[in-house]
Amino acid sequence: MAKDTPFLDVQNLTKSFGALVLFENISFSIAAGQRVGLIAKNGTGKSTLLSVLSGKEGYDSGEIIFRRGLKVGYLEQSPAFSPEETVLDACFNHHGEESMVLKAKQILTKLKIRDLAQPMGQLSGGQQKRVALANVLITEPDLLILDEPTNHLDLEMIEWLEGYLASGNKTLLMVTHDRFFLDHVCSVILELDDKSIYSYRGNYSYYLEKRQERIDARRAEIARANNLYRRELDWMRRMPQARGHKAKYREDAFYELERVAKQRMEERQMRLKSSNVYIGSKIFECQYISKAWSPEHVIMKDFYYNFSRYEKMGIVGNNGTGKSTFVKMLLGIEQPDSGRIVIGDTVRFGYFSQEGLKFDEGEKVIDVIRNIADYIDIGGGHRLSASQFLQYFLFTPEQQHNYVSKLSGGERRKLYLCTVLMKNPNFLVLDEPTNDLDIVTLQILEEYLADFPGCVIVVSHDRYFMDKVVDHLLVFKGDGVIKDFPGNYTQYREWSALEPKAPAEEKAVEKKSVQSAQPKRGGKRKMTYKEKTEFAALESEISALEQEQAAIEAALCSGKLSVEDLTEKSRRLPLLKEELDAKSMRWLELSEIESN
């Protein structure tokens, strides 16, 4: 087979569920080395398309042609595992070569899954998704098909995955709402819209520009068709009798013109500016609060903060540093160990949680919102009905009268968001609001929050969203350390890059720069003798470091250490982790060369 044969060629593919057509006669191809992002509104078939391509689901008509012998790795949106199997067993799908076991350990460590003997049934849904991601990555398939790979990853993990997928000559097709990720990883954007597929050869920023050009051109075409249609309609009415050949040709053209003229471009919603929200000058004050789950897991120590009126704060940090716990203390769901949170009398919280809302599956979408209120007062003598509010968040009149049971996962999250906003709170607390929402909905939510006249706290790993919405950050660094930063996420990253580094960090950066100077894996190459020696040594070094780490962590949890030993081991542990991370990353780089 010729070298320029695409990895994947899709021709005239159609898929429907009963009367609902998701996509019709769509065609596209993916060449070796292309990193493709798939964008579409919730409920229009993104995940279904990936499932069809992976062979998990059937289709109505068309052809799906993979290059002969191609190895495909597929990450599902909600992977399922046997609850009894261990992390290591689940990660391999019964492929247990020794080199792959070590590679799995390194990738799982990067994804913060450290107990490889733990049964899968004891892991959270987010942890299971990370094991599934590791499962796909360690097999090094020719084509990666990834459904929302950044969901349930913290910022550190997202940035690691971003670098991993952008390096080398990887080929991938993925669905993600993370626009930073799309910008930095993808070289092609596919948009699934109105049952058709549109291709843009560039990253997310390029897609935005070219998509607007396409929409403007289509609107102009429809406007021209409407003008011509009125004239041709008059001719059709005046010439009802037998027509000659030319007249018949004109009549056929009229019906095609009518089809174009009656098309409706989705008009951009007017910005929803709610002015009927009042909040007093006293918001909340954290009066020296402390919270810890154990002596080794401290969330905050004597934390003081006085929240300002109209403030829009973002909370960022790695998983497990206490972001959601802080939010729950603010809302009274969790109690601090000491100190107190004093909340102003006028504050009315609207809380969007990670857990979501349990819906009545037999209830209609419109009734879910009407159970809260028939309308929302947006001030200035204006109000929106429940139906108008749902339309603003892209629920069509037809969808509003569907049962909740028919909604996709993303549509359920969007409906949950509408239930929070419909209560017209003056202080929004949004914990991971961007998970599973499509990009169009995110843009609408960003506009809503930009115009929102109350207070906002957002916990999110979505860097693009945070830059658009917040003007101030609390950065949870772990071990009770919280950095108060006046700016958005990008400004914080730029400031962090200029901050003086500790000696251990400087060594890690120096080592990384030496590694980046190594020849990159463009074409295939073999290991040098020096690299083979280094690779073999790394395996035993990593194993020894892992054993030392496990011993230190066990000792710290034992409660039997003297003050001197406790101090010494507490100082050694972060340095040990940095060394282990650096050696693990180098092992991964060399293993990619060795697998050529």
Side-chain angles (χ1 to χ4, degrees):
M1 192 170 287
K3 282 189 176 180
D4 57 354
T5 303
F7 271 17
L8 170 63
D9 190 23
V10 175
Q11 300 175 1
N12 301 314
L13 190 66
T14 297
K15 172 69 176 177
S16 61
F17 290 109
L20 175 64
V21 178
L22 290 179
F23 41 86
E24 190 170 23
N25 293 325
I26 64 170
S27 299
F28 63 91
S29 63
I30 298 175
Q34 283 189 331
R35 295 189 286 265
V36 182
L38 176 63
I39 292 175
K41 293 194 290 290
N42 287 139
T44 55
K46 300 186 300 291
S47 292
T48 301
L49 177 56
L50 296 194
S51 186
V52 166
L53 295 177
S54 67
K56 296 272 185 181
E57 202 163 323
Y59 52 95
D60 301 343
S61 60
E63 284 189 276
I64 300 172
I65 305 163
F66 288 97
R67 183 185 286 188
R68 188 178 299 132
L70 195 79
K71 186 164 71 171
V72 179
Y74 174 46
L75 175 69
E76 298 180 67
Q77 193 170 36
S78 302
F81 294 96
S82 167
E84 293 81 24
E85 64 181 340
T86 66
V87 168
L88 200 57
D89 290 336
C91 205
F92 280 118
N93 281 339
H94 312 294
H95 306 296
E97 296 89 346
E98 190 60 35
S99 63
M100 289 182 70
V101 171
L102 189 53
K103 189 177 183 72
K105 286 179 179 177
Q106 312 318 315
I107 290 179
L108 285 166
T109 299
K110 288 293 181 185
L111 297 174
K112 300 182 182 174
I113 303 289
R114 294 190 170 89
D115 185 355
L116 306 189
Q118 188 175 12
M120 291 298 293
Q122 294 180 10
L123 269 60
S124 68
Q127 289 172 318
Q128 291 192 20
K129 181 76 180 267
R130 280 183 261 151
V131 172
L133 176 59
N135 194 342
V136 172
L137 297 181
I138 62 171
T139 58
E140 293 190 341
D142 303 307
L143 172 63
L144 286 159
I145 299 179
L146 308 175
D147 197 349
E148 297 289 4
T150 64
N151 273 10
H152 309 292
L153 303 187
D154 62 29
L155 285 169
E156 190 177 313
M157 289 186 261
I158 289 170
E159 288 173 354
W160 171 81
L161 182 62
E162 197 174 272
Y164 183 86
L165 293 178
S167 66
N169 197 34
K170 295 180 179 67
T171 308
L172 64 95
L173 169 65
M174 69 173 174
V175 167
T176 180
H177 65 264
D178 190 320
R179 290 158 289 179
F180 257 61
F181 205 81
L182 285 167
D183 236 4
H184 295 158
V185 173
C186 291
S187 55
V188 176
I189 302 292
L190 293 178
E191 182 186 20
L192 186 59
D193 184 33
D194 193 25
K195 305 172 192 172
S196 301
I197 202 103
Y198 301 92
S199 180
Y200 305 85
R201 292 187 173 272
N203 62 6
Y204 178 73
S205 299
Y206 176 85
Y207 152 77
L208 283 180
E209 178 189 337
K210 295 301 177 184
R211 179 182 186 271
Q212 192 57 50
E213 288 178 11
R214 174 177 72 80
I215 290 171
D216 291 343
R218 188 65 177 153
R219 282 206 180 103
E221 181 188 359
I222 291 172
R224 285 194 300 270
N226 269 294
N227 290 334
L228 188 54
Y229 174 68
R230 284 190 287 271
R231 192 178 71 202
E232 292 295 286
L233 182 62
D234 181 59
W235 176 82
M236 286 286 285
R237 286 170 176 163
R238 286 188 288 103
M239 298 278 294
Q241 305 305 320
R243 302 177 177 121
H245 178 73
K246 286 186 178 178
K248 180 67 170 64
Y249 176 81
R250 186 171 177 181
E251 182 183 351
D252 291 341
F254 166 80
Y255 291 119
E256 173 59 22
L257 185 66
E258 183 178 49
R259 184 190 67 78
V260 175
K262 288 189 175 180
Q263 286 185 0
R264 291 285 179 269
M265 291 296 291
E266 182 183 293
E267 292 299 325
R268 189 68 181 91
Q269 303 280 341
M270 55 174 274
R271 286 177 80 123
L272 178 58
K273 298 185 180 182
S274 177
S275 59
N276 193 38
V277 171
Y278 171 77
I279 193 164
S281 56
K282 175 73 173 175
I283 309 301
F284 75 82
E285 185 180 10
C286 293
Q287 297 180 346
Y288 305 100
I289 61 174
S290 296
K291 181 72 175 179
W293 297 117
S294 69
E296 293 77 35
H297 193 179
V298 178
I299 303 302
M300 52 185 58
K301 300 180 225 176
D302 295 324
F303 177 71
Y304 179 85
Y305 192 83
N306 194 358
F307 199 89
S308 304
R309 195 181 192 187
Y310 310 129
E311 189 170 342
K312 291 178 180 171
M313 173 195 282
I315 297 180
V316 298
N318 289 339
N319 289 348
T321 52
K323 304 182 300 296
S324 293
T325 301
F326 173 68
V327 162
K328 288 176 179 176
M329 286 193 289
L330 173 62
L331 296 165
I333 299 169
E334 295 279 357
Q335 295 302 313
D337 298 335
S338 61
R340 63 177 187 152
I341 300 175
V342 180
I343 297 171
D345 294 335
T346 63
V347 172
R348 295 192 319 276
F349 286 115
Y351 177 41
F352 182 95
S353 73
Q354 289 191 53
E355 292 78 22
L357 182 69
K358 297 294 183 188
F359 292 109
D360 179 349
E361 298 289 311
E363 198 167 22
K364 290 182 178 178
V365 170
I366 185 67
D367 292 331
V368 171
I369 300 301
R370 281 179 178 156
N371 288 344
I372 297 167
D374 287 323
Y375 64 87
I376 182 170
D377 191 338
I378 58 174
H382 302 290
R383 62 187 194 177
L384 291 180
S385 68
S387 179
Q388 288 171 321
F389 191 75
L390 282 169
Q391 276 189 266
Y392 179 79
F393 281 95
L394 304 181
F395 283 102
T396 65
E398 294 78 17
Q399 288 174 318
Q400 291 178 29
H401 288 87
N402 275 345
Y403 292 103
V404 170
S405 60
K406 292 187 176 180
L407 297 181
S408 69
E411 288 172 320
R412 285 169 184 257
R413 291 284 285 178
K414 188 164 63 172
L415 180 59
Y416 172 41
L417 177 65
C418 289
T419 65
V420 173
L421 301 180
M422 194 70 186
K423 293 171 185 172
N424 215 17
N426 57 17
F427 194 145
L428 286 168
V429 180
L430 309 176
D431 194 354
E432 296 294 355
T434 66
N435 281 358
D436 301 318
L437 293 184
D438 59 61
I439 287 174
V440 180
T441 303
L442 289 179
Q443 290 168 337
I444 291 169
L445 180 58
E446 284 162 1
E447 288 182 356
Y448 183 91
L449 294 177
D451 297 330
F452 184 67
C455 296
V456 179
I457 287 180
V458 180
V459 180
S460 179
H461 299 129
D462 190 321
R463 298 157 290 177
Y464 196 102
F465 184 82
M466 294 292 258
D467 277 0
K468 286 279 190 178
V469 171
V470 310
D471 48 30
H472 182 233
L473 290 180
L474 284 184
V475 184
F476 280 61
K477 291 175 167 276
D479 297 323
V481 178
I482 300 172
K483 171 70 182 172
D484 183 356
F485 181 80
N488 63 23
Y489 180 76
T490 294
Q491 290 164 340
Y492 170 70
R493 292 289 292 173
E494 290 169 351
W495 174 84
S496 297
L498 298 172
E499 225 187 351
K501 289 183 170 56
E505 289 179 287
E506 286 177 349
K507 284 182 184 175
V509 170
E510 185 180 327
K511 180 161 187 154
K512 190 174 180 183
S513 66
V514 169
Q515 290 169 0
S516 65
Q518 302 276 343
K520 290 198 175 178
R521 181 186 168 194
K524 294 188 175 182
R525 73 173 182 89
K526 298 295 181 184
M527 273 192 188
T528 64
Y529 175 77
K530 186 178 178 182
E531 285 172 334
K532 285 180 181 177
T533 306
E534 182 188 2
F535 188 56
L538 279 170
E539 295 192 4
S540 57
E541 289 169 8
I542 288 168
S543 178
L545 289 170
E546 286 176 337
Q547 289 173 22
E548 184 185 355
Q549 180 182 350
I552 289 176
E553 287 174 342
L556 289 172
C557 294
S558 68
K560 298 176 182 177
L561 295 177
S562 65
V563 174
E564 292 79 11
D565 285 343
L566 185 65
T567 303
E568 181 193 340
K569 290 186 185 299
S570 297
R571 285 175 177 165
R572 170 62 180 152
L573 189 59
L575 298 174
L576 177 66
K577 286 181 177 178
E578 284 176 4
E579 188 179 356
L580 187 55
D581 280 349
K583 287 184 183 293
S584 298
M585 181 55 79
R586 180 59 177 154
W587 189 94
L588 283 171
E589 290 173 354
L590 291 173
S591 71
E592 284 203 4
I593 298 170
E594 200 235 2
S595 65
N596 284 344

